[in-house]
């Protein structure tokens, strides 16, 4: 693994730094100015690799309170992402649900629910099926489906998801998950040893 780590870190150091102006759907940890390291992930809730990466990223961030973690939706869905030719509306709907749940302080819980139900969602064909699942599931998160649904339907919600997807496009996100560390693309960012090495490097630069 050490060669993989070394390659990942050297690629990261050579990457151009991106400035993210769009607001992420979710963020945890200290402010960007105070964080030892800021991780920014662009992901789609219907993507299997994103689901697996979420476990690694959460474990890492939980173990390192000095790390800031930002979650940007990059739905592989043309209904809200101009970079994607095909459109089903399903990934965009999930992204909007997470964005809206965060308004009630339950965004991370909705994020986890969306990934936990990924297999069932990927068997669905319509937005109505996703809505039916959410209506049944989210009261357990302490959320009211009617108010979440109203928020999902708001133009500002669609605009926010489109802005995150556009931000990913501007940062050359080609697939999901794509992880950035301090604004630089980290190609092996779902590997714990790579994350740890980048954190150590960032701390040594700051000190």
């Amino acid at each position: 693994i050490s060669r993989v780590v070394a390659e990942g870190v050297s690629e990261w150091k050579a990457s151009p730094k991106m400035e993210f102006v769009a607001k992420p759907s979710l963020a945890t940890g200290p402010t960007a100015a105070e964080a030892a390291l800021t991780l920014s992930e662009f992901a789609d809730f219907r993507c299997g690799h994103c689901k697996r990466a979420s476990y690694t990223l959460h474990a890492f961030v939980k173990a390192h309170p000095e790390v800031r973690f930002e979650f940007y939706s990059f739905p592989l869905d043309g209904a809200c992402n101009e970079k994607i030719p095909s459109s089903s509306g399903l990934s965009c709907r999930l992204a909007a649900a997470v964005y809206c749940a965060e308004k009630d302080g339950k965004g991370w819980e909705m994020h986890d629910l969306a990934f936990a139900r990924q297999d069932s969602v990927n068997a669905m064909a319509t937005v109505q099926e996703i809505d039916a699942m959410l209506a049944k599931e989210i009261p357990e998160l302490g959320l009211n489906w009617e108010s979440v649904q109203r928020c999902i339907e708001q133009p500002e919600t669609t605009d926010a998801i489109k802005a995150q997807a556009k931000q990913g496009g501007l940062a050359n996100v080609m697939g999901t998950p794509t992880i950035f560390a301090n604004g630089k693309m980290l190609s092996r960012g779902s590997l714990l040893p790579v994350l740890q090495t980048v954190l150590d490097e960032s701390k040594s630069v700051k000190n």
Side-chain angles (χ1 to χ4, degrees):
I1 188 105
S2 56
R3 185 176 59 82
V4 171
V5 171
E7 282 175 6
V9 174
S10 64
E11 280 174 20
W12 168 68
K13 285 180 175 174
S15 293
K17 186 168 184 179
M18 302 292 173
E19 293 295 335
F20 299 141
V21 291
K23 197 167 178 284
S25 276
L26 305 170
T28 185
T31 64
E34 292 171 339
L37 174 68
T38 297
L39 294 173
S40 309
E41 180 193 19
F42 288 81
D44 176 312
F45 289 107
R46 297 176 70 218
C47 144
H49 291 297
C50 298
K51 180 178 178 175
R52 284 191 291 280
S54 73
Y55 301 130
T56 308
L57 290 162
H58 277 264
F60 181 75
V61 172
K62 201 171 175 184
H64 298 92
E66 71 275 33
V67 173
R68 176 176 174 79
F69 180 45
E70 301 171 339
F71 178 89
Y72 289 88
S73 280
F74 190 81
L76 302 175
D77 184 344
C80 59
N81 187 343
E82 61 190 28
K83 291 278 180 192
I84 308 296
S86 59
S87 165
S88 68
L90 302 182
S91 288
C92 297
R93 196 73 172 179
L94 290 169
V98 170
Y99 175 85
C100 288
E102 181 59 9
K103 291 188 178 297
D104 286 319
K106 299 282 185 178
W108 287 110
E109 288 85 346
M110 183 73 94
H111 164 286
D112 294 348
L113 174 69
F115 278 132
R117 298 290 177 269
Q118 189 179 81
D119 289 347
S120 345
V121 166
N122 286 347
M124 294 175 185
T126 66
V127 164
Q128 287 74 20
E129 288 173 88
I130 285 186
D131 284 2
M133 178 202 76
L134 292 173
K136 191 169 130 231
E137 298 265 6
I138 69 173
E140 290 180 23
L141 305 182
L143 289 165
N144 175 283
W145 168 241
E146 284 73 25
S147 71
V148 170
Q149 190 178 27
R150 273 197 303 277
C151 168
I152 289 172
E153 303 293 353
Q154 295 292 323
E156 70 175 86
T157 299
T158 307
D159 290 347
I161 300 302
K162 283 183 172 177
Q164 291 176 48
K166 189 173 178 113
Q167 182 74 79
L170 292 170
N172 300 317
V173 171
M174 307 298 276
T176 55
T178 297
I179 297 155
F180 292 81
N182 292 340
K184 294 180 166 203
M185 196 180 283
L186 186 62
S187 63
R188 294 172 176 85
S190 54
L191 298 175
L192 277 174
V194 171
L195 292 168
Q196 186 62 56
T197 306
V198 166
L199 174 59
D200 294 342
E201 292 266 350
S202 301
K203 280 180 172 173
S204 68
V205 169
K206 280 208 165 187
N207 290 337

